[in-house]
Amino acid sequence: MKVFVLGGSGKVGREVVGQLARSDLVSQIAVAGRNLLHAEEVATAISSKGTAVHVDAHLAPALAEHLAGYDLVVNAATDDTVLT
């Protein structure tokens, strides 16, 4: 399963990514966030399953393009980020 974690390099997101990385059901995790450097740090820490993605959840058209092909989207971004 391919999982896209929005806010994946934040406080909550790092925990979510860590849990997903330990699952045999998950083959790929996109660690997505506004700070690419932070996302890369988290993606590197989970080895080959991780991929860093630079994206801002408030820019819906760009976000929609990134979500294509993923089986699951997890919103671990700030509490003011609402996906519609």
Side-chain angles (χ1 to χ4, degrees):
M1 174 185 341
K2 293 173 61 177
V3 182
F4 189 96
V5 182
L6 188 59
S9 61
K11 187 175 181 178
V12 173
R14 289 175 187 259
E15 292 297 320
V16 170
V17 167
Q19 292 287 330
L20 290 168
R22 289 188 283 280
S23 173
D24 292 334
L25 299 174
V26 177
S27 60
Q28 183 179 350
I29 304 167
V31 180
R34 291 178 292 185
N35 186 316
L36 183 58
L37 180 61
H38 292 167
E40 287 172 343
E41 291 172 1
V42 175
T44 300
I46 60 169
S47 70
S48 62
K49 286 187 180 184
T51 303
V53 178
H54 180 246
V55 67
D56 186 337
H58 295 102
L59 302 175
L63 178 59
E65 290 177 22
H66 286 291
L67 298 178
Y70 284 91
D71 303 303
L72 177 67
V73 177
V74 177
N75 183 6
T78 61
D79 59 359
D80 68 341
T81 303
V82 178
L83 303 178
T84 56

